[in-house]
Amino acid sequence: MFPDLGVCPSLAKGGTPRCAPESSRRRIPVSAWLAGVGLLIAFLSTLGCSVRAPGLSMAEGDTLVSVDYEIFGKVQGVFFRKYTQAEGKKLGLVGWVQNTDRGTVQGQLQGPISKVHRMQEWLETKGSPKSHIDRANFSNEKVILKLDYSEFQIVK
């Protein structure tokens, strides 16, 4: 038989509720509490949950994130950078895009997590009309407190 977890043990025996004396209660340092909150926010954002940092001017309830990307396939000479910039601006994202010497396209996206995830899907599946995407690698996804860029730029 399992104990009734909804009943205080001292009440279950017919007694009065007992609380730990003030002197025996452990206090958590503020720095440890803040570190825990930061870890919780980072964990929730990896699950796709939205947490809004105070004082941000972005959409209500949307965590800001930054993610690096590299796209493989036929992505050079097909206006991939131009379409990427246009799609990023349409979604309200900032960052950059450039060709590499390896024949890939790379860059960084920053903005609300829901919009960044939509852009990641676009980079993986759509791209420019004449492109052919073999694969997309995303790395260094992290929660940020403020945007590092003011617009979405094509780097030459």
Side-chain angles (χ1 to χ4, degrees):
M1 174 110 170
F2 294 104
D4 182 0
L5 298 177
V7 177
C8 174
S10 61
L11 289 176
K13 296 178 184 174
T16 58
R18 291 186 307 244
C19 296
E22 187 71 34
S23 61
S24 68
R25 291 185 193 161
R26 293 178 55 196
R27 292 203 167 270
I28 299 172
V30 173
S31 59
W33 185 82
L34 289 174
V37 169
L39 287 172
L40 178 61
I41 289 171
F43 174 73
L44 290 173
S45 70
T46 62
L47 296 176
C49 298
S50 296
V51 180
R52 184 178 179 269
L56 295 177
S57 60
M58 300 304 289
E60 274 299 310
D62 231 346
T63 301
L64 291 178
V65 295
S66 175
V67 64
D68 298 335
Y69 62 91
E70 185 167 13
I71 313 302
F72 298 80
K74 183 180 178 189
V75 292
Q76 289 191 9
V78 292
F79 298 98
F80 197 92
R81 292 177 300 160
K82 182 178 178 177
Y83 277 84
T84 299
Q85 179 190 42
E87 187 69 16
K89 285 183 174 183
K90 183 173 96 178
L91 291 171
L93 299 176
V94 298
W96 55 272
V97 59
Q98 72 178 12
N99 286 338
T100 70
D101 294 338
R102 300 177 303 284
T104 65
V105 170
Q106 69 180 13
Q108 186 176 79
L109 305 169
Q110 291 187 349
I113 192 168
S114 61
K115 305 277 179 93
V116 167
H117 286 170
R118 284 195 2 221
M119 183 69 177
Q120 286 176 295
E121 183 179 335
W122 184 90
L123 287 166
E124 281 183 300
T125 61
K126 191 163 184 170
S128 66
K130 295 190 177 195
S131 67
H132 177 79
I133 300 163
D134 291 335
R135 77 177 193 276
N137 289 348
F138 300 99
S139 60
N140 301 321
E141 185 167 343
K142 59 187 174 189
V143 174
I144 57 174
L145 295 178
K146 66 180 189 66
L147 302 172
D148 294 326
Y149 309 99
S150 59
E151 60 184 11
F152 204 104
Q153 299 177 358
I154 295 175
V155 179
K156 305 259 182 202

